[in-house]
Amino acid sequence: MEEEAEAEEQQRFSYQQRLKAAVHYTVGCLCEEVALDKEMQFSKQTIAAISELTFRQCENFAKDLEMFARHARRTTINTEDVKLLARRSNSLLKYITDKSEEIAQTNLERKARKKKKSENGNHNSRELAEAGVVESEK
Amino acid sequence: MERAGAGAGFRKELVSRLLHVHFKDDKTKVSGDALQLMAELLKIFVVEAAVRGVRQAQAEDAILVDVDQLEKVLPQLLLDF
């Protein structure tokens, strides 16, 4: 029994390590962009520190988001919850609010395009189906 | 498919996994839009840390951003988030 618990603990640990590695990679890419833009290099330790910080900040974010959603009697976290997260700085809140509208707009357009495509598809397949029915009746 | 905001960023799947690790309730879910927004938030968090580090290094006439510079900008960064 103890071995099982230990194995589970190991699995959880290595999963977290893989997540941390993924975060580290993304942080590295973002810092590289900033470094190019500002013409200033980052030490490896700095990138590692930002990466560790981001990973830990996710824990705070996740717990807050879960609580916000539960407070609103929901199980699904939505964009309103995320906006609440960004409340501490006015400029951050504004940026996130604008982004939220941009995302909503983009997704709306994508859905409209998809719907149009599927309507055309249905129209074509209905024509084919009717043709098929006529065939078999013969 | 246009991508708003060129350059690196956090993938939705990574963000989802990062959040789910810390949820207390198994039933908690995250909407797609919220995931996208969280990816943006995390991106800003990293970029802010980086840019503030650069500003600190520039103020100190340092040749690169080292942990010493990062430590100085950390308190305000965490307060802003």
Side-chain angles (χ1 to χ4, degrees), chain B residues 46-70:
Chain B
V46 173
V47 171
E48 268 305 300
V51 168
R52 290 184 195 192
V54 167
R55 261 185 255 145
Q56 183 64 33
Q58 284 168 341
E60 293 179 12
D61 272 324
I63 51 165
L64 56 57
V65 185
D66 214 339
V67 192
D68 295 330
Q69 283 77 41
L70 188 67

Side-chain angles (χ1 to χ4, degrees), chain B residues 23-69:
Chain B
F23 288 154
K24 298 225 168 79
D25 190 356
D26 286 337
K27 295 190 229 101
T28 304
K29 296 195 261 308
V30 192
S31 82
D33 281 7
L35 272 181
Q36 264 182 278
L37 205 53
M38 272 311 294
E40 284 295 328
L41 187 64
L42 284 172
K43 180 175 174 179
I44 304 182
F45 182 78
V46 173
V47 171
E48 268 305 300
V51 168
R52 290 184 195 192
V54 167
R55 261 185 255 145
Q56 183 64 33
Q58 284 168 341
E60 293 179 12
D61 272 324
I63 51 165
L64 56 57
V65 185
D66 214 339
V67 192
D68 295 330
Q69 283 77 41

Side-chain angles (χ1 to χ4, degrees), chain B residues 4-21:
Chain B
F10 286 88
R11 287 174 355 257
K12 267 168 87 169
E13 196 199 326
L14 177 58
V15 177
S16 175
R17 286 174 188 271
L18 283 170
L19 294 177
H20 273 88
V21 162

Side-chain angles (χ1 to χ4, degrees), chain A residues 36-53:
Chain A
L36 284 171
D37 184 46
K38 306 283 176 193
E39 293 176 353
M40 172 80 82
Q41 284 302 313
F42 291 87
S43 73
K44 275 200 308 217
Q45 293 90 333
T46 303
I47 300 193
I50 297 180
S51 169
E52 180 72 34
L53 193 62

Side-chain angles (χ1 to χ4, degrees), chain A:
Chain A
M1 275 311 149
E2 243 178 68
E3 289 172 11
E4 258 185 51
E6 241 187 78
E8 221 188 279
E9 187 58 43
Q10 268 285 37
Q11 255 195 343
R12 206 177 329 166
F13 180 71
S14 66
Y15 179 65
Q16 283 215 10
Q17 290 303 99
R18 291 205 311 274
L19 283 184
K20 281 192 186 181
V23 171
H24 188 85
Y25 175 74
T26 309
V27 169
C29 293
L30 287 168
C31 286
E32 182 63 35
E33 285 182 0
V34 173
L36 284 171
D37 184 46
K38 306 283 176 193
E39 293 176 353
M40 172 80 82
Q41 284 302 313
F42 291 87
S43 73
K44 275 200 308 217
Q45 293 90 333
T46 303
I47 300 193
I50 297 180
S51 169
E52 180 72 34
L53 193 62
T54 307
F55 188 82
R56 268 190 272 147
Q57 193 66 9
C58 281
E59 177 168 358
N60 293 341
F61 286 160
K63 290 184 174 163
D64 282 354
L65 287 172
E66 190 175 34
M67 272 203 274
F68 294 160
R70 163 175 277 174
H71 184 68
R73 298 175 210 274
R74 279 182 273 108
T75 49
T76 304
I77 293 164
N78 64 20
T79 52
E80 294 307 303
D81 302 321
V82 179
K83 283 187 218 164
L84 256 186
L85 262 190
R87 68 195 179 285
R88 292 219 165 88
S89 148
N90 285 335
S91 48
L92 180 64
L93 182 59
K94 178 166 197 318
Y95 183 89
I96 286 296
T97 306
D98 290 345
K99 265 298 160 187
S100 165
E101 287 168 16
E102 198 183 300
I103 289 171
Q105 187 61 22
T106 310
N107 287 343
L108 219 67
E109 289 171 0
R110 201 183 307 155
K111 273 198 202 143
R113 260 181 277 141
K114 255 188 172 177
K115 199 168 177 239
K116 246 187 150 186
K117 253 177 95 179
S118 78
E119 275 177 2
N120 288 340
N122 282 345
H123 188 68
N124 289 340
S125 60
R126 214 180 313 132
E127 283 187 338
L128 285 169
E130 285 176 356
V133 167
V134 170
E135 278 285 311
S136 60
E137 274 183 359
K138 276 195 190 152

